[in-house]
Amino acid sequence: MKNISTVIALTAMIILPSQFAVSQKVDSKVRDAEKARVAAIAKATQSTISVFAPGGRGGGSGVVISKQGYALTNYHVVKPCGNYMQCSLPDGKLYDAVLVGLDPVGDVAIIQLLGRDDFPAATLADSDKVKQGDWCFAAGNPFLLATDFQPTITWGMVSGVNRYQYPSKTLLEYADCIQTDAAINPGNSGGPLFDANGDVIGINGRGSFEKRGRVNVGVGYAISINQIKYFMDHLMSGRIVDHATLGATVYTDDRGRVIVDAILETSDAYKKGLRYEDEIVRFGGRSIQTVNQFKNVLGIYPRGWRVPLTFRREGKNYDITVRLAGVHDVEKLTEMIQGKPSSKPKGKPGDAKKSKTPRKKGGIPKAAKDRIEVRRGFANYYYNRLRRTEIWKAHIGAQDYSKLQGKWKISARASDGTVVQILLDDEKSGIQWGEDPYVLDPEKDLSEQLYPRQTGGLLPALHLWRRLLIQGPEKFGSLHYFGSLPLEGEKKYPHVFEGTFDVAVTNFFFNRDSHQLIAQEMFLDPEGNAVEVRFDDYQEVNGVMFPRKIKTTVSGRPTEIRFNKIEFQK
Amino acid sequence: MTKVRKKSTALFHIALMAACLICVDTSAQLKSYKNVVEDAQNKMVKIYGAGGFQGLEAYQSGFFISSTGEILTTWSYVLDAEDIVVMLNDGQKLNAKLKGYDPRTEVAILKVEVLNVDYFNLDKAVKLRSGSKVLALSNLYGVATGNEPASVQFGVVSAKTKLSARRGAFDTNYQGSVYVIDAMTNNPGAAGGAITDRRGNLAAIIGKELRSSKNNIWLNFAIPVSEITDSIDAIRSGKIIAQADPKAKLADEPMTVKLMGIVLLPNVVSNTPPFVDRVVRGSVADKAGIRPDDLIIEAAGQLTTSRNALENKLKTIERDTPVKLTIQRGRKFLNIEIDLNK
């Protein structure tokens, strides 16, 4: 007994002074730093998920970014899942989840976890502020180790930013990504990379593996969260989204300048004046000195984005804004992801239909099934319909444009003094531009009716505008929610509907706050020139809100056309 | 009991003192890692040379060790090129001259024509202990191009040990002391990169890729500056030079390998290495201990990268002058003197 008590006393003495010493000697800064780190990891952990493909066909990680359960992961993680998967949260529960949107080139996917409206969402940081030498940590489920769904945390340093990684035998391109020495292993894919505060700076997805096998080699890459922010609305649209191209290729010359070595004459950049052998000086607000930097800028924007570009020719700088085209033909991209269209067509192509259970056993639970709508070209058409309906409802509000089925007669005057009479109708529309009358027959090829000539096609644009208002997005033709795109003068990127009627592709822009239809952009001209119309000064006319002013380009000059009298005929 | 208490109190005091020292150390204005990295980047270079096939990367890393453009890097096949190109941190592209290298420590010095560049001062190089925090800067995997900064990794020195202790497992020329690092520092293209301490002071140079033949594990190691100072001094002072002086006078009666009694491997390509094929029995070379399969890496202080280089060097040496040869036999280096007068 005595011996034991002596031992206890001794042990106590050894422990107590050392504990005392610890509380004395540790700098409060060190304690604070430790506390902050523990808190950051605790915060980050709660929104980190594991993604499991049904039937044990693989998996990865992800991160919840909204209370409604929307979560980010990699395209290559959800690929084996199809449109249904199961996800775990660190609370130990397993949730059903469905695919929402895919960015196959950027290796990003959005899924939605179901069954709660209070999912713990992570905070998204501004990844442009991340610098080499910053601390960061990855959370996820490497090697699918965690059977209790507690994510594995690997701490590290930001090894590099604005890194460019070529597509490796696939179409996955990692542009402008964050490089880290935090251990990234198989299973970490799709999981978040956090800054030291526990806010998301990227989505882990790739490492430099090569000859060393598929385990951590101290070189992991995360897709920057700022890139994903540009794509967010696009991914939420349920589409398979595409990346962008300038329509020009560049090389670095021996003086370290980035020079255009080929350019498509149909590209917007060419139309804005960019030519072979011009030097790219700035692009997307960044100075350009290497091909990688150029590719980094291109890689972060979705198709259709407008980006400022400065080029230099003979010692003089030129500033232009270019609209980026898609890298892939839409059908090509669909084929790459969904295969060739089925040889035995069921119903009309493009028809939406409820998913049939593709799996033999168990099938998909009803809650998930209700949120899956298979349609060619879409990751999940359910979400496109959902967003489109939300935006359209917000736009029309309590108004009913569908009652305005008769002729629309508008008397107007352009800012250059021209008197303009507009008549819009289902059968035929017309415009009297000063002395010149034009008639549009919607049954005939619209691209041959770009009237009035000096506007590049204002009449067909307005004809389609009326069609959208009275028919609504369901009956317009083929029309889907595209995502958001920048628009000059708008601080928040407006929502965009992309509609196709005849050969005309038309984008309709909706303000995020007022929900009003603020702009239309029509691509009909075979040479690729767009007609842009801005709708402004909404006032009540016959019980509906209606623009009193439009802005467009006439003979290359910005022109305002004020509607003096608007008449809706029965 | 009291004795024990006294002892522990004493220990406690020592611990407190040590802690205070550490406190002083850390409370001195420490730059953030971000700033340390930023300062170090201007000293780093990307090196491009031979390779680019069969898994041999045509690039590696290096850093300035003087304001006038001396670059320290690792001796490898990458430098065995007519044109060695060096990319500075600001994207400036320069042609580099190989000033010299030491096959024993596998370090090389390149020279580029620049003035007033930032550099790591070798005289202020620091020694690390197990547990020291380190930053590793290198262009691993060639991730960075142009003016993009080299990659940085954070790690801790796991051990200070000798590579020779692992002979048989790790196949390497260099047998001296190394720091083993817990970060994945030794990747393709990382060789020649810099290991610094927490404050950005140079401590070591990142070694070549090294894989254990026994368990296929890659070793992340770096060579302490103190281990290579002699090599650097020798290269700098011209004691080991890479290229023959084109102005050197030819000897009236030059030395030849034939006179020594050495038959070299046939000169099949322009840079066939000077491997000994045969040694004439009873010849000077035989008596001096030269054996078939020996590689002559140095003659009279000049590196002999090829048969041609060796033969050209010998042409400048009178046959009655003793010649010092450095021989590589397997992983061993031998100094042998050839004196025809004996």
Side-chain angles (χ1 to χ4, degrees), chain B residues 215-235:
Chain B
N215 54 15
N216 280 344
I217 281 178
W218 299 83
L219 186 71
N220 297 303
F221 74 99
I223 304 173
V225 171
S226 57
E227 294 288 316
I228 52 173
T229 328
D230 290 347
S231 297
I232 294 168
D233 289 346
I235 298 167

PDB file of all heavy atoms in Angstrom, chain B residues 215-235:
ATOM      1  N   ASN B 215      11.957  -1.725 -50.818  1.00  0.00           N
ATOM      2  CA  ASN B 215      10.518  -1.604 -50.579  1.00  0.00           C
ATOM      3  C   ASN B 215       9.857  -0.550 -51.470  1.00  0.00           C
ATOM      4  O   ASN B 215       8.697  -0.199 -51.247  1.00  0.00           O
ATOM      5  CB  ASN B 215      10.253  -1.288 -49.110  1.00  0.00           C
ATOM      6  CG  ASN B 215      11.028  -0.065 -48.664  1.00  0.00           C
ATOM      7  OD1 ASN B 215      11.526   0.691 -49.488  1.00  0.00           O
ATOM      8  ND2 ASN B 215      11.120   0.137 -47.372  1.00  0.00           N
ATOM      9  N   ASN B 216      10.619  -0.039 -52.458  1.00  0.00           N
ATOM     10  CA  ASN B 216      10.068   0.934 -53.402  1.00  0.00           C
ATOM     11  C   ASN B 216       9.634   2.248 -52.759  1.00  0.00           C
ATOM     12  O   ASN B 216       8.852   2.991 -53.331  1.00  0.00           O
ATOM     13  CB  ASN B 216       8.876   0.353 -54.169  1.00  0.00           C
ATOM     14  CG  ASN B 216       9.354  -0.526 -55.300  1.00  0.00           C
ATOM     15  OD1 ASN B 216      10.537  -0.442 -55.676  1.00  0.00           O
ATOM     16  ND2 ASN B 216       8.493  -1.351 -55.834  1.00  0.00           N
ATOM     17  N   ILE B 217      10.088   2.504 -51.558  1.00  0.00           N
ATOM     18  CA  ILE B 217       9.720   3.774 -50.916  1.00  0.00           C
ATOM     19  C   ILE B 217      10.675   4.858 -51.389  1.00  0.00           C
ATOM     20  O   ILE B 217      11.886   4.643 -51.510  1.00  0.00           O
ATOM     21  CB  ILE B 217       9.741   3.617 -49.382  1.00  0.00           C
ATOM     22  CG1 ILE B 217       8.456   2.919 -48.958  1.00  0.00           C
ATOM     23  CG2 ILE B 217       9.884   4.966 -48.682  1.00  0.00           C
ATOM     24  CD1 ILE B 217       8.346   2.647 -47.503  1.00  0.00           C
ATOM     25  N   TRP B 218      10.107   6.020 -51.693  1.00  0.00           N
ATOM     26  CA  TRP B 218      10.931   7.133 -52.138  1.00  0.00           C
ATOM     27  C   TRP B 218      11.418   7.891 -50.925  1.00  0.00           C
ATOM     28  O   TRP B 218      10.653   8.162 -49.997  1.00  0.00           O
ATOM     29  CB  TRP B 218      10.117   8.063 -53.040  1.00  0.00           C
ATOM     30  CG  TRP B 218       9.613   7.397 -54.280  1.00  0.00           C
ATOM     31  CD1 TRP B 218       8.485   6.636 -54.386  1.00  0.00           C
ATOM     32  CD2 TRP B 218      10.208   7.425 -55.579  1.00  0.00           C
ATOM     33  NE1 TRP B 218       8.344   6.180 -55.679  1.00  0.00           N
ATOM     34  CE2 TRP B 218       9.374   6.647 -56.433  1.00  0.00           C
ATOM     35  CE3 TRP B 218      11.362   8.028 -56.116  1.00  0.00           C
ATOM     36  CZ2 TRP B 218       9.660   6.465 -57.783  1.00  0.00           C
ATOM     37  CZ3 TRP B 218      11.632   7.843 -57.451  1.00  0.00           C
ATOM     38  CH2 TRP B 218      10.805   7.066 -58.274  1.00  0.00           C
ATOM     39  N   LEU B 219      12.690   8.225 -50.943  1.00  0.00           N
ATOM     40  CA  LEU B 219      13.268   8.910 -49.792  1.00  0.00           C
ATOM     41  C   LEU B 219      13.292  10.414 -50.058  1.00  0.00           C
ATOM     42  O   LEU B 219      13.749  10.863 -51.100  1.00  0.00           O
ATOM     43  CB  LEU B 219      14.701   8.415 -49.564  1.00  0.00           C
ATOM     44  CG  LEU B 219      15.373   8.959 -48.305  1.00  0.00           C
ATOM     45  CD1 LEU B 219      14.750   8.345 -47.060  1.00  0.00           C
ATOM     46  CD2 LEU B 219      16.876   8.668 -48.325  1.00  0.00           C
ATOM     47  N   ASN B 220      12.785  11.163 -49.094  1.00  0.00           N
ATOM     48  CA  ASN B 220      12.818  12.619 -49.212  1.00  0.00           C
ATOM     49  C   ASN B 220      13.986  13.133 -48.395  1.00  0.00           C
ATOM     50  O   ASN B 220      13.936  13.150 -47.172  1.00  0.00           O
ATOM     51  CB  ASN B 220      11.496  13.202 -48.721  1.00  0.00           C
ATOM     52  CG  ASN B 220      10.345  12.735 -49.586  1.00  0.00           C
ATOM     53  OD1 ASN B 220      10.350  12.953 -50.796  1.00  0.00           O
ATOM     54  ND2 ASN B 220       9.397  12.054 -48.991  1.00  0.00           N
ATOM     55  N   PHE B 221      15.046  13.501 -49.109  1.00  0.00           N
ATOM     56  CA  PHE B 221      16.248  13.914 -48.387  1.00  0.00           C
ATOM     57  C   PHE B 221      16.856  15.155 -49.015  1.00  0.00           C
ATOM     58  O   PHE B 221      16.558  15.517 -50.155  1.00  0.00           O
ATOM     59  CB  PHE B 221      17.290  12.780 -48.378  1.00  0.00           C
ATOM     60  CG  PHE B 221      17.984  12.589 -49.702  1.00  0.00           C
ATOM     61  CD1 PHE B 221      19.261  13.126 -49.924  1.00  0.00           C
ATOM     62  CD2 PHE B 221      17.374  11.895 -50.731  1.00  0.00           C
ATOM     63  CE1 PHE B 221      19.906  12.965 -51.147  1.00  0.00           C
ATOM     64  CE2 PHE B 221      18.014  11.725 -51.962  1.00  0.00           C
ATOM     65  CZ  PHE B 221      19.276  12.260 -52.165  1.00  0.00           C
ATOM     66  N   ALA B 222      17.707  15.812 -48.221  1.00  0.00           N
ATOM     67  CA  ALA B 222      18.424  16.987 -48.700  1.00  0.00           C
ATOM     68  C   ALA B 222      19.833  16.950 -48.141  1.00  0.00           C
ATOM     69  O   ALA B 222      20.065  16.416 -47.060  1.00  0.00           O
ATOM     70  CB  ALA B 222      17.695  18.242 -48.266  1.00  0.00           C
ATOM     71  N   ILE B 223      20.766  17.525 -48.910  1.00  0.00           N
ATOM     72  CA  ILE B 223      22.169  17.510 -48.498  1.00  0.00           C
ATOM     73  C   ILE B 223      22.497  18.827 -47.793  1.00  0.00           C
ATOM     74  O   ILE B 223      22.306  19.901 -48.378  1.00  0.00           O
ATOM     75  CB  ILE B 223      23.077  17.296 -49.723  1.00  0.00           C
ATOM     76  CG1 ILE B 223      22.664  16.001 -50.445  1.00  0.00           C
ATOM     77  CG2 ILE B 223      24.543  17.286 -49.324  1.00  0.00           C
ATOM     78  CD1 ILE B 223      23.381  15.760 -51.755  1.00  0.00           C
ATOM     79  N   PRO B 224      22.963  18.764 -46.543  1.00  0.00           N
ATOM     80  CA  PRO B 224      23.284  19.996 -45.814  1.00  0.00           C
ATOM     81  C   PRO B 224      24.353  20.797 -46.548  1.00  0.00           C
ATOM     82  O   PRO B 224      25.262  20.216 -47.152  1.00  0.00           O
ATOM     83  CB  PRO B 224      23.826  19.492 -44.470  1.00  0.00           C
ATOM     84  CG  PRO B 224      23.332  18.089 -44.346  1.00  0.00           C
ATOM     85  CD  PRO B 224      23.199  17.562 -45.731  1.00  0.00           C
ATOM     86  N   VAL B 225      24.258  22.109 -46.477  1.00  0.00           N
ATOM     87  CA  VAL B 225      25.231  22.974 -47.155  1.00  0.00           C
ATOM     88  C   VAL B 225      26.648  22.636 -46.693  1.00  0.00           C
ATOM     89  O   VAL B 225      27.589  22.598 -47.490  1.00  0.00           O
ATOM     90  CB  VAL B 225      24.882  24.462 -46.905  1.00  0.00           C
ATOM     91  CG1 VAL B 225      26.001  25.360 -47.414  1.00  0.00           C
ATOM     92  CG2 VAL B 225      23.567  24.818 -47.578  1.00  0.00           C
ATOM     93  N   SER B 226      26.804  22.347 -45.392  1.00  0.00           N
ATOM     94  CA  SER B 226      28.145  22.086 -44.859  1.00  0.00           C
ATOM     95  C   SER B 226      28.810  20.891 -45.545  1.00  0.00           C
ATOM     96  O   SER B 226      30.028  20.793 -45.596  1.00  0.00           O
ATOM     97  CB  SER B 226      28.056  21.841 -43.353  1.00  0.00           C
ATOM     98  OG  SER B 226      27.158  20.772 -43.109  1.00  0.00           O
ATOM     99  N   GLU B 227      28.007  19.979 -46.067  1.00  0.00           N
ATOM    100  CA  GLU B 227      28.549  18.784 -46.717  1.00  0.00           C
ATOM    101  C   GLU B 227      29.089  19.080 -48.116  1.00  0.00           C
ATOM    102  O   GLU B 227      29.790  18.259 -48.701  1.00  0.00           O
ATOM    103  CB  GLU B 227      27.466  17.710 -46.832  1.00  0.00           C
ATOM    104  CG  GLU B 227      26.998  17.152 -45.510  1.00  0.00           C
ATOM    105  CD  GLU B 227      28.048  16.250 -44.869  1.00  0.00           C
ATOM    106  OE1 GLU B 227      28.626  15.428 -45.586  1.00  0.00           O
ATOM    107  OE2 GLU B 227      28.274  16.395 -43.650  1.00  0.00           O
ATOM    108  N   ILE B 228      28.657  20.189 -48.679  1.00  0.00           N
ATOM    109  CA  ILE B 228      29.037  20.450 -50.071  1.00  0.00           C
ATOM    110  C   ILE B 228      29.888  21.700 -50.227  1.00  0.00           C
ATOM    111  O   ILE B 228      30.234  22.078 -51.333  1.00  0.00           O
ATOM    112  CB  ILE B 228      27.771  20.564 -50.969  1.00  0.00           C
ATOM    113  CG1 ILE B 228      26.782  21.571 -50.386  1.00  0.00           C
ATOM    114  CG2 ILE B 228      27.115  19.214 -51.160  1.00  0.00           C
ATOM    115  CD1 ILE B 228      25.607  21.857 -51.278  1.00  0.00           C
ATOM    116  N   THR B 229      30.248  22.321 -49.088  1.00  0.00           N
ATOM    117  CA  THR B 229      31.046  23.544 -49.158  1.00  0.00           C
ATOM    118  C   THR B 229      32.366  23.310 -49.874  1.00  0.00           C
ATOM    119  O   THR B 229      32.793  24.133 -50.683  1.00  0.00           O
ATOM    120  CB  THR B 229      31.321  24.081 -47.732  1.00  0.00           C
ATOM    121  OG1 THR B 229      30.219  23.740 -46.921  1.00  0.00           O
ATOM    122  CG2 THR B 229      31.492  25.568 -47.741  1.00  0.00           C
ATOM    123  N   ASP B 230      33.005  22.172 -49.586  1.00  0.00           N
ATOM    124  CA  ASP B 230      34.292  21.875 -50.227  1.00  0.00           C
ATOM    125  C   ASP B 230      34.130  21.752 -51.738  1.00  0.00           C
ATOM    126  O   ASP B 230      34.940  22.273 -52.507  1.00  0.00           O
ATOM    127  CB  ASP B 230      34.900  20.585 -49.658  1.00  0.00           C
ATOM    128  CG  ASP B 230      35.358  20.770 -48.219  1.00  0.00           C
ATOM    129  OD1 ASP B 230      35.421  21.954 -47.780  1.00  0.00           O
ATOM    130  OD2 ASP B 230      35.630  19.761 -47.546  1.00  0.00           O
ATOM    131  N   SER B 231      33.080  21.061 -52.139  1.00  0.00           N
ATOM    132  CA  SER B 231      32.811  20.907 -53.572  1.00  0.00           C
ATOM    133  C   SER B 231      32.596  22.268 -54.208  1.00  0.00           C
ATOM    134  O   SER B 231      33.135  22.573 -55.277  1.00  0.00           O
ATOM    135  CB  SER B 231      31.563  20.068 -53.800  1.00  0.00           C
ATOM    136  OG  SER B 231      31.739  18.775 -53.318  1.00  0.00           O
ATOM    137  N   ILE B 232      31.797  23.095 -53.536  1.00  0.00           N
ATOM    138  CA  ILE B 232      31.493  24.418 -54.089  1.00  0.00           C
ATOM    139  C   ILE B 232      32.778  25.246 -54.198  1.00  0.00           C
ATOM    140  O   ILE B 232      33.044  25.870 -55.229  1.00  0.00           O
ATOM    141  CB  ILE B 232      30.439  25.134 -53.211  1.00  0.00           C
ATOM    142  CG1 ILE B 232      29.103  24.380 -53.275  1.00  0.00           C
ATOM    143  CG2 ILE B 232      30.254  26.583 -53.651  1.00  0.00           C
ATOM    144  CD1 ILE B 232      28.088  24.808 -52.245  1.00  0.00           C
ATOM    145  N   ASP B 233      33.581  25.207 -53.150  1.00  0.00           N
ATOM    146  CA  ASP B 233      34.849  25.960 -53.166  1.00  0.00           C
ATOM    147  C   ASP B 233      35.746  25.475 -54.299  1.00  0.00           C
ATOM    148  O   ASP B 233      36.363  26.276 -55.001  1.00  0.00           O
ATOM    149  CB  ASP B 233      35.580  25.809 -51.831  1.00  0.00           C
ATOM    150  CG  ASP B 233      34.866  26.567 -50.720  1.00  0.00           C
ATOM    151  OD1 ASP B 233      33.988  27.408 -51.061  1.00  0.00           O
ATOM    152  OD2 ASP B 233      35.154  26.305 -49.542  1.00  0.00           O
ATOM    153  N   ALA B 234      35.816  24.153 -54.458  1.00  0.00           N
ATOM    154  CA  ALA B 234      36.671  23.581 -55.498  1.00  0.00           C
ATOM    155  C   ALA B 234      36.200  24.020 -56.881  1.00  0.00           C
ATOM    156  O   ALA B 234      37.003  24.390 -57.740  1.00  0.00           O
ATOM    157  CB  ALA B 234      36.684  22.057 -55.387  1.00  0.00           C
ATOM    158  N   ILE B 235      34.903  24.005 -57.082  1.00  0.00           N
ATOM    159  CA  ILE B 235      34.367  24.405 -58.391  1.00  0.00           C
ATOM    160  C   ILE B 235      34.621  25.899 -58.608  1.00  0.00           C
ATOM    161  O   ILE B 235      35.094  26.327 -59.655  1.00  0.00           O
ATOM    162  CB  ILE B 235      32.851  24.107 -58.496  1.00  0.00           C
ATOM    163  CG1 ILE B 235      32.577  22.605 -58.362  1.00  0.00           C
ATOM    164  CG2 ILE B 235      32.295  24.618 -59.830  1.00  0.00           C
ATOM    165  CD1 ILE B 235      31.112  22.244 -58.154  1.00  0.00           C
TER     166      ILE B 235
END
